[in-house]
Amino acid sequence: MLSINNLQASIGDKQILKGLNLEVNAGEVHAIMGPNGAGKSTLASVLAGREDYEVTGGSVLFDGEDLLDMAPEVRAAEGIFLAFQYPVEIPGVSTTNFLKTAMNEIRKHRGQDPLDAVQFLKLMKEKMKLVNIDQSLLSRSLNEGFSGGEKKRNEIFQMAMLEPKLAILDETDSGLDIDALRIVAEGVNTLRSPERATIVVTHYQRLLDYIVPDFVHVLYQGRIVKSGPKELALELEEKGYDWIKAEVEASV
Amino acid sequence: MTPSYASYNEFKDQLLAAFQSNEERMNGESKTPLHQVRRAALHQFDLLGFPTIRHEEWKYSNVANLLKEAFDLDNSSSLTADDLTPLQIPNLDGNIITFVNGIYRADLSRLVSPAEQVQITSFAEGAKADPDFIGAHFARYADYQDNAFTALNTAMASDGVVIRVPANTTVEQPIILRFITDARERNIASQPRNLVIVGQNSEVTMAESFRTLGGRTSFVNVVTEIALERDARMQYYKVQDETDNAYHIGTTQVNQSDNSHFYSATVTLNGNFVRNNLNIVLNGQHAEAFMYGLYMPNGRQHVDNHTLVDHAMPNSYSSELYKGILDDNGTGVFNGKIYVRPDAQKTNAYQSCKNVVLSSGASMNTKPQLEIYADDVKCSHGTTTGQLNDEALFYMRSRGIPKDAARTLLLYAFVQDVVSQIKIQPIREYLEGVVAQKLGQ
Ligand SMILES: Nc1ncnc2c1ncn2[C@@H]1O[C@H](COP(=O)(O)OP(=O)(O)O)[C@@H](O)[C@H]1O
Ligand SMILES: [Mg+2]
């Protein structure tokens, strides 16, 4: 589904991704871990199409198509979803109105008719229950004045509504208590299917108790330097990243 | 080729001469107190002359181009109801009072409120029917000593409306003043004058709408004086949707007594050169004034809003929010003055002006001016001018909303807290339509 080959990206003069490789197949869940500043959010942003980052080399194929060639909205319509580490506040636009616009734009892209108000509401009700989010929150300006947890839950709610093929969660677990964490995990697990895939960026193995990954990767200094089964996450939790750093240095 | 004036003073000289010749044709009327006020105002206009950008109040708004146009001061028009069809606002009910080139048109007007609720007459009729009333209020509020355009209007105002709401009355239907300039055949200059007196404990909603037909140059110099007696409440909307050849200079002067409430929204959708003065004197305790504004100049449009709130008595409250979206080579000015007089203890005054600049050719000039002479007051002011939030745009695009649609949605949200203030639903819907159209292009 997603094939990242020798990806290099920079912001300004600063190179952040330095030849990153990753293969994600349909049905899989990949966890990406790594120390602060390693480039995890950069990778997520480049995949979603943030224009601040300049891709200076390598390629990304999504279902065989050149992903880097697509505008962010086209990527979304093709099935990519990024749950932001820091969701943006949009004053004056309610979540409901925002999502309705987004869904119908995506449907237009796919040649489908727009959802009518009744269909949309029905879908919303269903997904609201899933992530235990309140109607009153959805009527307010998107993310404005939301608590950290509310913002993250709102990201998962949007994901549940849009049902992406490839969901990328950038530290959605940070700052969540255990109940909220469970809700987030449930949102992700409900979406799990043989046609879909998920990339979970996280600092803590805690989340991976609930979203059990097929693979764990360590991103360090702009590269995936180690990959392994889910047990790798436990090892990282126990030993930290120093041994990985040492391994990388030794191999230079 | 359209004629044009050769010098800065030509239009002024023409106006002075017109006043003179008009006066010569008068009989006893030239002796009335009303005419004496007009003559004094003309004298003041003569002294002041049209302002140049050396005048502090006109630093960023240059009327030089207006003074290069030429007007023949013939305001007759062949306009009929059919011509107005394209300018109609759907579903708009209420008292609709139409002026064409500044002259009241009974055939295009409709009064629905009963006379016990409100008396509405044209200025010309009102001045004849009740000269004492007009004499007691006319030019009592809008000062013409320092403002050449107000002086000019006071001297030469052709027509307009006089609205009197008696005490303890709610005017149920809104009053809509439609000022249509028929510039289909020639350049038109008009000077409407309105006077609104809202009696004690009464309430009224009024809108002024300015539209232009045709591609010639129009110049509207309007003055509206409003007096709110004790406990009176008024909603006042000014909506400008004129052509790219339209010049508009207007002053709304409000005088508020104890415990009166004034809610205003000034929305400039289109126009070549627009200057709005909104001056409010809070001349009573517990008086409250709310001022909202929206302007969205694009192309080469220029919109200047000058507001003044004069807190003259203790315990009064004012709150102001103006918002602008500037595109292409559009320019904007916001000048917000707040005076707090020495007696006006416990004043609360809030002012905010927020702008989004969409292109490198557009610009906005903001100047808050606070002069506070009392010590126990709460005042705050803030202005922001920036570009559209890139982070927000990316967030929206990442959810599948194309760039243009995301931009429109953000801007539309930006203007909502001003547009939503307009409580006459058909007008609000019409505004939303024009705004969406202008943002969506
Ligand atoms: N907008 C930016 N301008 C400059 N440097 C940036 C910017 N965004 C990220 N960086 C830098 O890029 C590196 C990787 O950041 P990021 O991808 O956010 O790391 P992670 O998510 O793994 O913590 C860091 O050194 C960070 O300081
Ligand atoms: Mg990060």
mmCIF file of all heavy atoms in Angstrom, chain A residues 49-51 71-73 76 81-82 84 88 90-93 98 102 105-106 143 155 158, chain B residues 389-405 409-410 412-414 416:
data_model
loop_
_atom_site.group_PDB
_atom_site.id
_atom_site.type_symbol
_atom_site.label_atom_id
_atom_site.label_comp_id
_atom_site.label_asym_id
_atom_site.label_seq_id
_atom_site.Cartn_x
_atom_site.Cartn_y
_atom_site.Cartn_z
ATOM 1 N N GLY A 49 1.471 15.896 3.130
ATOM 2 C CA GLY A 49 1.621 16.914 2.079
ATOM 3 C C GLY A 49 1.868 18.326 2.552
ATOM 4 O O GLY A 49 1.609 19.283 1.823
ATOM 5 N N ARG A 50 2.376 18.486 3.746
ATOM 6 C CA ARG A 50 2.661 19.841 4.228
ATOM 7 C C ARG A 50 3.737 20.492 3.357
ATOM 8 O O ARG A 50 4.796 19.912 3.116
ATOM 9 C CB ARG A 50 3.128 19.798 5.679
ATOM 10 C CG ARG A 50 3.244 21.196 6.296
ATOM 11 C CD ARG A 50 3.930 21.126 7.643
ATOM 12 N NE ARG A 50 3.031 20.642 8.678
ATOM 13 C CZ ARG A 50 2.278 21.443 9.449
ATOM 14 N NH1 ARG A 50 2.306 22.735 9.286
ATOM 15 N NH2 ARG A 50 1.501 20.929 10.362
ATOM 16 N N GLU A 51 3.422 21.703 2.889
ATOM 17 C CA GLU A 51 4.292 22.307 1.880
ATOM 18 C C GLU A 51 5.549 22.962 2.462
ATOM 19 O O GLU A 51 6.464 23.313 1.715
ATOM 20 C CB GLU A 51 3.498 23.323 1.043
ATOM 21 C CG GLU A 51 2.604 22.621 0.022
ATOM 22 C CD GLU A 51 1.420 23.460 -0.440
ATOM 23 O OE1 GLU A 51 1.166 24.524 0.167
ATOM 24 O OE2 GLU A 51 0.749 23.043 -1.402
ATOM 25 N N ALA A 71 -1.683 16.971 -4.246
ATOM 26 C CA ALA A 71 -2.003 18.019 -3.271
ATOM 27 C C ALA A 71 -2.528 17.355 -1.997
ATOM 28 O O ALA A 71 -3.044 16.238 -2.052
ATOM 29 C CB ALA A 71 -3.051 18.962 -3.847
ATOM 30 N N PRO A 72 -2.406 18.017 -0.869
ATOM 31 C CA PRO A 72 -2.866 17.411 0.399
ATOM 32 C C PRO A 72 -4.316 16.922 0.334
ATOM 33 O O PRO A 72 -4.635 15.840 0.827
ATOM 34 C CB PRO A 72 -2.737 18.559 1.406
ATOM 35 C CG PRO A 72 -1.735 19.481 0.829
ATOM 36 C CD PRO A 72 -1.818 19.344 -0.665
ATOM 37 N N GLU A 73 -5.192 17.738 -0.299
ATOM 38 C CA GLU A 73 -6.605 17.352 -0.345
ATOM 39 C C GLU A 73 -6.825 16.123 -1.217
ATOM 40 O O GLU A 73 -7.737 15.333 -0.958
ATOM 41 C CB GLU A 73 -7.473 18.528 -0.806
ATOM 42 C CG GLU A 73 -7.135 19.133 -2.157
ATOM 43 C CD GLU A 73 -6.112 20.273 -2.071
ATOM 44 O OE1 GLU A 73 -5.305 20.272 -1.110
ATOM 45 O OE2 GLU A 73 -6.113 21.145 -2.957
ATOM 46 N N ALA A 76 -5.916 13.135 0.857
ATOM 47 C CA ALA A 76 -7.016 12.815 1.771
ATOM 48 C C ALA A 76 -8.109 12.053 1.029
ATOM 49 O O ALA A 76 -8.627 11.053 1.523
ATOM 50 C CB ALA A 76 -7.575 14.090 2.388
ATOM 51 N N PHE A 81 -5.004 9.798 6.062
ATOM 52 C CA PHE A 81 -5.487 10.628 7.165
ATOM 53 C C PHE A 81 -4.362 10.803 8.177
ATOM 54 O O PHE A 81 -3.739 9.840 8.603
ATOM 55 C CB PHE A 81 -6.682 9.968 7.852
ATOM 56 C CG PHE A 81 -7.226 10.773 8.997
ATOM 57 C CD1 PHE A 81 -8.271 11.665 8.810
ATOM 58 C CD2 PHE A 81 -6.682 10.640 10.280
ATOM 59 C CE1 PHE A 81 -8.765 12.417 9.874
ATOM 60 C CE2 PHE A 81 -7.169 11.391 11.344
ATOM 61 C CZ PHE A 81 -8.211 12.279 11.143
ATOM 62 N N LEU A 82 -4.125 12.052 8.559
ATOM 63 C CA LEU A 82 -3.136 12.322 9.601
ATOM 64 C C LEU A 82 -3.837 12.872 10.837
ATOM 65 O O LEU A 82 -4.513 13.894 10.768
ATOM 66 C CB LEU A 82 -2.104 13.342 9.087
ATOM 67 C CG LEU A 82 -1.161 13.944 10.135
ATOM 68 C CD1 LEU A 82 -0.268 12.876 10.777
ATOM 69 C CD2 LEU A 82 -0.278 15.038 9.515
ATOM 70 N N PHE A 84 -3.185 14.854 13.858
ATOM 71 C CA PHE A 84 -2.088 15.782 14.168
ATOM 72 C C PHE A 84 -1.602 15.648 15.608
ATOM 73 O O PHE A 84 -2.407 15.448 16.518
ATOM 74 C CB PHE A 84 -2.550 17.227 13.948
ATOM 75 C CG PHE A 84 -2.594 17.659 12.508
ATOM 76 C CD1 PHE A 84 -3.360 16.961 11.580
ATOM 77 C CD2 PHE A 84 -1.875 18.774 12.078
ATOM 78 C CE1 PHE A 84 -3.410 17.364 10.248
ATOM 79 C CE2 PHE A 84 -1.922 19.185 10.756
ATOM 80 C CZ PHE A 84 -2.690 18.483 9.836
ATOM 81 N N VAL A 88 -4.973 21.899 14.989
ATOM 82 C CA VAL A 88 -5.029 23.350 14.810
ATOM 83 C C VAL A 88 -6.413 23.878 15.186
ATOM 84 O O VAL A 88 -7.428 23.242 14.906
ATOM 85 C CB VAL A 88 -4.716 23.700 13.337
ATOM 86 C CG1 VAL A 88 -4.657 25.203 13.143
ATOM 87 C CG2 VAL A 88 -3.410 23.058 12.909
ATOM 88 N N ILE A 90 -9.525 26.206 14.620
ATOM 89 C CA ILE A 90 -10.141 26.894 13.490
ATOM 90 C C ILE A 90 -11.314 27.713 14.009
ATOM 91 O O ILE A 90 -12.431 27.203 14.112
ATOM 92 C CB ILE A 90 -10.649 25.900 12.423
ATOM 93 C CG1 ILE A 90 -9.650 24.777 12.193
ATOM 94 C CG2 ILE A 90 -11.046 26.624 11.148
ATOM 95 C CD1 ILE A 90 -8.757 24.911 11.016
ATOM 96 N N PRO A 91 -11.101 28.970 14.326
ATOM 97 C CA PRO A 91 -12.180 29.777 14.885
ATOM 98 C C PRO A 91 -13.335 29.947 13.900
ATOM 99 O O PRO A 91 -13.112 30.151 12.707
ATOM 100 C CB PRO A 91 -11.525 31.135 15.188
ATOM 101 C CG PRO A 91 -10.124 31.060 14.703
ATOM 102 C CD PRO A 91 -9.852 29.707 14.165
ATOM 103 N N GLY A 92 -14.542 29.827 14.412
ATOM 104 C CA GLY A 92 -15.718 30.108 13.592
ATOM 105 C C GLY A 92 -16.216 28.947 12.749
ATOM 106 O O GLY A 92 -17.243 29.059 12.107
ATOM 107 N N VAL A 93 -15.482 27.838 12.721
ATOM 108 C CA VAL A 93 -15.942 26.682 11.941
ATOM 109 C C VAL A 93 -16.174 25.526 12.911
ATOM 110 O O VAL A 93 -15.248 25.100 13.593
ATOM 111 C CB VAL A 93 -14.901 26.259 10.882
ATOM 112 C CG1 VAL A 93 -15.417 25.092 10.056
ATOM 113 C CG2 VAL A 93 -14.536 27.429 9.978
ATOM 114 N N PHE A 98 -17.283 21.523 9.429
ATOM 115 C CA PHE A 98 -15.980 21.190 8.855
ATOM 116 C C PHE A 98 -15.994 19.781 8.265
ATOM 117 O O PHE A 98 -15.603 19.548 7.115
ATOM 118 C CB PHE A 98 -14.936 21.307 9.970
ATOM 119 C CG PHE A 98 -13.565 20.859 9.593
ATOM 120 C CD1 PHE A 98 -12.799 21.569 8.689
ATOM 121 C CD2 PHE A 98 -13.017 19.724 10.176
ATOM 122 C CE1 PHE A 98 -11.518 21.164 8.357
ATOM 123 C CE2 PHE A 98 -11.740 19.312 9.854
ATOM 124 C CZ PHE A 98 -10.989 20.023 8.944
ATOM 125 N N ALA A 102 -15.664 18.435 4.476
ATOM 126 C CA ALA A 102 -14.580 17.517 4.113
ATOM 127 C C ALA A 102 -15.131 16.249 3.459
ATOM 128 O O ALA A 102 -14.685 15.828 2.393
ATOM 129 C CB ALA A 102 -13.763 17.172 5.347
ATOM 130 N N GLU A 105 -16.496 16.902 -0.012
ATOM 131 C CA GLU A 105 -15.423 17.158 -0.980
ATOM 132 C C GLU A 105 -14.757 15.836 -1.387
ATOM 133 O O GLU A 105 -14.458 15.615 -2.556
ATOM 134 C CB GLU A 105 -14.372 18.110 -0.398
ATOM 135 C CG GLU A 105 -14.844 19.553 -0.259
ATOM 136 C CD GLU A 105 -14.959 20.290 -1.596
ATOM 137 O OE1 GLU A 105 -14.561 19.740 -2.639
ATOM 138 O OE2 GLU A 105 -15.461 21.441 -1.585
ATOM 139 N N ILE A 106 -14.539 14.982 -0.395
ATOM 140 C CA ILE A 106 -13.921 13.689 -0.682
ATOM 141 C C ILE A 106 -14.840 12.848 -1.573
ATOM 142 O O ILE A 106 -14.412 12.225 -2.543
ATOM 143 C CB ILE A 106 -13.578 12.944 0.634
ATOM 144 C CG1 ILE A 106 -12.404 13.657 1.321
ATOM 145 C CG2 ILE A 106 -13.257 11.489 0.377
ATOM 146 C CD1 ILE A 106 -12.058 13.112 2.701
ATOM 147 N N ASN A 143 -11.683 22.732 17.696
ATOM 148 C CA ASN A 143 -10.491 22.715 18.556
ATOM 149 C C ASN A 143 -10.289 23.967 19.402
ATOM 150 O O ASN A 143 -9.389 24.011 20.232
ATOM 151 C CB ASN A 143 -9.203 22.466 17.742
ATOM 152 C CG ASN A 143 -9.152 21.062 17.182
ATOM 153 O OD1 ASN A 143 -9.637 20.136 17.804
ATOM 154 N ND2 ASN A 143 -8.586 20.920 15.996
ATOM 155 N N GLU A 155 -9.707 14.263 16.895
ATOM 156 C CA GLU A 155 -8.947 13.745 15.746
ATOM 157 C C GLU A 155 -9.413 12.323 15.410
ATOM 158 O O GLU A 155 -9.623 11.984 14.244
ATOM 159 C CB GLU A 155 -7.442 13.724 16.052
ATOM 160 C CG GLU A 155 -6.802 15.090 16.209
ATOM 161 C CD GLU A 155 -6.714 15.861 14.906
ATOM 162 O OE1 GLU A 155 -5.876 15.531 14.053
ATOM 163 O OE2 GLU A 155 -7.513 16.810 14.743
ATOM 164 N N GLN A 158 -12.807 12.335 13.813
ATOM 165 C CA GLN A 158 -12.722 12.674 12.386
ATOM 166 C C GLN A 158 -12.234 11.478 11.576
ATOM 167 O O GLN A 158 -12.726 11.204 10.483
ATOM 168 C CB GLN A 158 -11.769 13.864 12.179
ATOM 169 C CG GLN A 158 -12.309 15.158 12.753
ATOM 170 C CD GLN A 158 -11.352 16.318 12.502
ATOM 171 O OE1 GLN A 158 -10.775 16.451 11.436
ATOM 172 N NE2 GLN A 158 -11.177 17.153 13.505
ATOM 173 N N ASN B 389 -4.172 32.028 8.091
ATOM 174 C CA ASN B 389 -3.394 31.070 8.865
ATOM 175 C C ASN B 389 -3.051 29.819 8.040
ATOM 176 O O ASN B 389 -3.901 28.999 7.725
ATOM 177 C CB ASN B 389 -4.213 30.703 10.103
ATOM 178 C CG ASN B 389 -3.475 29.772 11.018
ATOM 179 O OD1 ASN B 389 -2.462 29.186 10.651
ATOM 180 N ND2 ASN B 389 -3.990 29.639 12.229
ATOM 181 N N ASP B 390 -1.753 29.671 7.699
ATOM 182 C CA ASP B 390 -1.302 28.542 6.880
ATOM 183 C C ASP B 390 -1.523 27.197 7.559
ATOM 184 O O ASP B 390 -1.850 26.209 6.904
ATOM 185 C CB ASP B 390 0.197 28.682 6.585
ATOM 186 C CG ASP B 390 0.433 29.603 5.407
ATOM 187 O OD1 ASP B 390 -0.516 29.819 4.630
ATOM 188 O OD2 ASP B 390 1.564 30.108 5.280
ATOM 189 N N GLU B 391 -1.323 27.180 8.876
ATOM 190 C CA GLU B 391 -1.511 25.941 9.627
ATOM 191 C C GLU B 391 -2.952 25.456 9.496
ATOM 192 O O GLU B 391 -3.215 24.279 9.285
ATOM 193 C CB GLU B 391 -1.238 26.182 11.114
ATOM 194 C CG GLU B 391 0.185 26.549 11.437
ATOM 195 C CD GLU B 391 1.085 25.327 11.419
ATOM 196 O OE1 GLU B 391 0.697 24.314 12.013
ATOM 197 O OE2 GLU B 391 2.152 25.394 10.783
ATOM 198 N N ALA B 392 -3.868 26.423 9.633
ATOM 199 C CA ALA B 392 -5.288 26.081 9.534
ATOM 200 C C ALA B 392 -5.612 25.597 8.117
ATOM 201 O O ALA B 392 -6.345 24.625 7.934
ATOM 202 C CB ALA B 392 -6.148 27.279 9.892
ATOM 203 N N LEU B 393 -5.039 26.276 7.122
ATOM 204 C CA LEU B 393 -5.280 25.871 5.735
ATOM 205 C C LEU B 393 -4.802 24.442 5.501
ATOM 206 O O LEU B 393 -5.503 23.627 4.890
ATOM 207 C CB LEU B 393 -4.527 26.804 4.774
ATOM 208 C CG LEU B 393 -5.264 28.012 4.256
ATOM 209 C CD1 LEU B 393 -4.396 28.765 3.261
ATOM 210 C CD2 LEU B 393 -6.577 27.607 3.581
ATOM 211 N N PHE B 394 -3.618 24.141 6.006
ATOM 212 C CA PHE B 394 -3.083 22.791 5.795
ATOM 213 C C PHE B 394 -3.938 21.751 6.513
ATOM 214 O O PHE B 394 -4.238 20.688 5.973
ATOM 215 C CB PHE B 394 -1.624 22.694 6.265
ATOM 216 C CG PHE B 394 -1.093 21.289 6.180
ATOM 217 C CD1 PHE B 394 -0.979 20.644 4.947
ATOM 218 C CD2 PHE B 394 -0.750 20.583 7.328
ATOM 219 C CE1 PHE B 394 -0.530 19.339 4.860
ATOM 220 C CE2 PHE B 394 -0.304 19.274 7.248
ATOM 221 C CZ PHE B 394 -0.183 18.648 6.016
ATOM 222 N N TYR B 395 -4.345 22.088 7.714
ATOM 223 C CA TYR B 395 -5.189 21.168 8.492
ATOM 224 C C TYR B 395 -6.453 20.822 7.693
ATOM 225 O O TYR B 395 -6.839 19.664 7.567
ATOM 226 C CB TYR B 395 -5.547 21.824 9.816
ATOM 227 C CG TYR B 395 -6.305 20.946 10.784
ATOM 228 C CD1 TYR B 395 -5.644 20.027 11.575
ATOM 229 C CD2 TYR B 395 -7.684 21.050 10.913
ATOM 230 C CE1 TYR B 395 -6.330 19.227 12.480
ATOM 231 C CE2 TYR B 395 -8.382 20.253 11.812
ATOM 232 C CZ TYR B 395 -7.695 19.349 12.596
ATOM 233 O OH TYR B 395 -8.385 18.558 13.487
ATOM 234 N N MET B 396 -7.062 21.851 7.128
ATOM 235 C CA MET B 396 -8.304 21.634 6.386
ATOM 236 C C MET B 396 -8.054 20.842 5.108
ATOM 237 O O MET B 396 -8.818 19.945 4.760
ATOM 238 C CB MET B 396 -8.951 22.975 6.067
ATOM 239 C CG MET B 396 -9.299 23.748 7.328
ATOM 240 S SD MET B 396 -9.873 25.407 7.006
ATOM 241 C CE MET B 396 -11.604 25.105 6.852
ATOM 242 N N ARG B 397 -6.971 21.173 4.426
ATOM 243 C CA ARG B 397 -6.648 20.447 3.191
ATOM 244 C C ARG B 397 -6.349 18.984 3.491
ATOM 245 O O ARG B 397 -6.728 18.092 2.728
ATOM 246 C CB ARG B 397 -5.463 21.099 2.496
ATOM 247 C CG ARG B 397 -5.749 22.494 1.997
ATOM 248 C CD ARG B 397 -4.537 23.102 1.326
ATOM 249 N NE ARG B 397 -4.290 22.500 0.021
ATOM 250 C CZ ARG B 397 -3.190 22.723 -0.698
ATOM 251 N NH1 ARG B 397 -2.249 23.528 -0.241
ATOM 252 N NH2 ARG B 397 -3.040 22.148 -1.883
ATOM 253 N N SER B 398 -5.698 18.741 4.624
ATOM 254 C CA SER B 398 -5.345 17.361 4.959
ATOM 255 C C SER B 398 -6.589 16.523 5.249
ATOM 256 O O SER B 398 -6.517 15.309 5.332
ATOM 257 C CB SER B 398 -4.400 17.327 6.157
ATOM 258 O OG SER B 398 -5.142 17.454 7.361
ATOM 259 N N ARG B 399 -7.726 17.210 5.404
ATOM 260 C CA ARG B 399 -8.979 16.471 5.607
ATOM 261 C C ARG B 399 -9.785 16.376 4.309
ATOM 262 O O ARG B 399 -10.935 15.953 4.323
ATOM 263 C CB ARG B 399 -9.839 17.173 6.662
ATOM 264 C CG ARG B 399 -9.222 17.217 8.042
ATOM 265 C CD ARG B 399 -9.148 15.824 8.661
ATOM 266 N NE ARG B 399 -8.679 15.885 10.036
ATOM 267 C CZ ARG B 399 -7.438 15.604 10.416
ATOM 268 N NH1 ARG B 399 -6.543 15.226 9.519
ATOM 269 N NH2 ARG B 399 -7.094 15.676 11.676
ATOM 270 N N GLY B 400 -9.195 16.871 3.223
ATOM 271 C CA GLY B 400 -9.843 16.698 1.921
ATOM 272 C C GLY B 400 -10.497 17.938 1.356
ATOM 273 O O GLY B 400 -11.123 17.894 0.301
ATOM 274 N N ILE B 401 -10.385 19.069 2.060
ATOM 275 C CA ILE B 401 -11.023 20.293 1.569
ATOM 276 C C ILE B 401 -10.037 21.035 0.662
ATOM 277 O O ILE B 401 -8.951 21.410 1.109
ATOM 278 C CB ILE B 401 -11.469 21.187 2.743
ATOM 279 C CG1 ILE B 401 -12.402 20.395 3.672
ATOM 280 C CG2 ILE B 401 -12.145 22.451 2.233
ATOM 281 C CD1 ILE B 401 -12.803 21.126 4.939
ATOM 282 N N PRO B 402 -10.361 21.223 -0.621
ATOM 283 C CA PRO B 402 -9.423 21.880 -1.538
ATOM 284 C C PRO B 402 -9.044 23.279 -1.053
ATOM 285 O O PRO B 402 -9.804 23.931 -0.326
ATOM 286 C CB PRO B 402 -10.193 21.955 -2.859
ATOM 287 C CG PRO B 402 -11.221 20.888 -2.762
ATOM 288 C CD PRO B 402 -11.581 20.795 -1.308
ATOM 289 N N LYS B 403 -7.900 23.725 -1.489
ATOM 290 C CA LYS B 403 -7.321 24.979 -1.001
ATOM 291 C C LYS B 403 -8.294 26.159 -1.086
ATOM 292 O O LYS B 403 -8.487 26.890 -0.114
ATOM 293 C CB LYS B 403 -6.064 25.291 -1.807
ATOM 294 C CG LYS B 403 -5.205 26.358 -1.211
ATOM 295 C CD LYS B 403 -3.935 26.487 -2.038
ATOM 296 C CE LYS B 403 -2.970 27.463 -1.403
ATOM 297 N NZ LYS B 403 -1.708 27.537 -2.154
ATOM 298 N N ASP B 404 -8.928 26.334 -2.242
ATOM 299 C CA ASP B 404 -9.825 27.482 -2.415
ATOM 300 C C ASP B 404 -11.029 27.407 -1.483
ATOM 301 O O ASP B 404 -11.441 28.402 -0.889
ATOM 302 C CB ASP B 404 -10.315 27.574 -3.864
ATOM 303 C CG ASP B 404 -9.238 28.136 -4.767
ATOM 304 O OD1 ASP B 404 -8.230 28.666 -4.226
ATOM 305 O OD2 ASP B 404 -9.380 28.037 -5.996
ATOM 306 N N ALA B 405 -11.560 26.199 -1.366
ATOM 307 C CA ALA B 405 -12.722 26.022 -0.492
ATOM 308 C C ALA B 405 -12.325 26.243 0.961
ATOM 309 O O ALA B 405 -13.077 26.841 1.746
ATOM 310 C CB ALA B 405 -13.306 24.626 -0.686
ATOM 311 N N LEU B 409 -13.853 29.019 3.404
ATOM 312 C CA LEU B 409 -14.470 28.615 4.674
ATOM 313 C C LEU B 409 -13.854 29.394 5.843
ATOM 314 O O LEU B 409 -14.564 29.886 6.730
ATOM 315 C CB LEU B 409 -14.269 27.113 4.873
ATOM 316 C CG LEU B 409 -15.162 26.395 5.884
ATOM 317 C CD1 LEU B 409 -16.629 26.544 5.536
ATOM 318 C CD2 LEU B 409 -14.803 24.915 5.956
ATOM 319 N N LEU B 410 -12.543 29.549 5.811
ATOM 320 C CA LEU B 410 -11.856 30.284 6.878
ATOM 321 C C LEU B 410 -12.271 31.752 6.899
ATOM 322 O O LEU B 410 -12.543 32.323 7.954
ATOM 323 C CB LEU B 410 -10.341 30.221 6.684
ATOM 324 C CG LEU B 410 -9.619 28.974 7.182
ATOM 325 C CD1 LEU B 410 -8.131 29.091 6.892
ATOM 326 C CD2 LEU B 410 -9.859 28.772 8.668
ATOM 327 N N TYR B 412 -14.940 33.079 5.570
ATOM 328 C CA TYR B 412 -16.360 33.174 5.874
ATOM 329 C C TYR B 412 -16.575 33.093 7.386
ATOM 330 O O TYR B 412 -17.364 33.843 7.960
ATOM 331 C CB TYR B 412 -17.083 32.036 5.158
ATOM 332 C CG TYR B 412 -18.545 32.273 5.011
ATOM 333 C CD1 TYR B 412 -19.012 33.231 4.124
ATOM 334 C CD2 TYR B 412 -19.446 31.543 5.754
ATOM 335 C CE1 TYR B 412 -20.364 33.468 4.007
ATOM 336 C CE2 TYR B 412 -20.804 31.767 5.633
ATOM 337 C CZ TYR B 412 -21.257 32.727 4.761
ATOM 338 O OH TYR B 412 -22.594 32.959 4.642
ATOM 339 N N ALA B 413 -15.806 32.207 8.019
ATOM 340 C CA ALA B 413 -15.885 32.094 9.478
ATOM 341 C C ALA B 413 -15.393 33.383 10.127
ATOM 342 O O ALA B 413 -15.954 33.854 11.123
ATOM 343 C CB ALA B 413 -15.057 30.908 9.955
ATOM 344 N N PHE B 414 -14.372 33.964 9.534
ATOM 345 C CA PHE B 414 -13.771 35.203 10.070
ATOM 346 C C PHE B 414 -14.797 36.336 10.127
ATOM 347 O O PHE B 414 -14.845 37.097 11.093
ATOM 348 C CB PHE B 414 -12.580 35.577 9.185
ATOM 349 C CG PHE B 414 -11.917 36.882 9.522
ATOM 350 C CD1 PHE B 414 -11.101 36.997 10.636
ATOM 351 C CD2 PHE B 414 -12.090 37.998 8.713
ATOM 352 C CE1 PHE B 414 -10.475 38.191 10.949
ATOM 353 C CE2 PHE B 414 -11.470 39.199 9.009
ATOM 354 C CZ PHE B 414 -10.660 39.296 10.136
ATOM 355 N N GLN B 416 -18.071 36.012 10.258
ATOM 356 C CA GLN B 416 -19.355 35.638 10.851
ATOM 357 C C GLN B 416 -19.707 36.431 12.114
ATOM 358 O O GLN B 416 -20.860 36.778 12.317
ATOM 359 C CB GLN B 416 -19.411 34.133 11.154
ATOM 360 C CG GLN B 416 -20.055 33.312 10.058
ATOM 361 C CD GLN B 416 -21.424 33.806 9.653
ATOM 362 O OE1 GLN B 416 -22.249 34.146 10.486
ATOM 363 N NE2 GLN B 416 -21.674 33.865 8.347
#
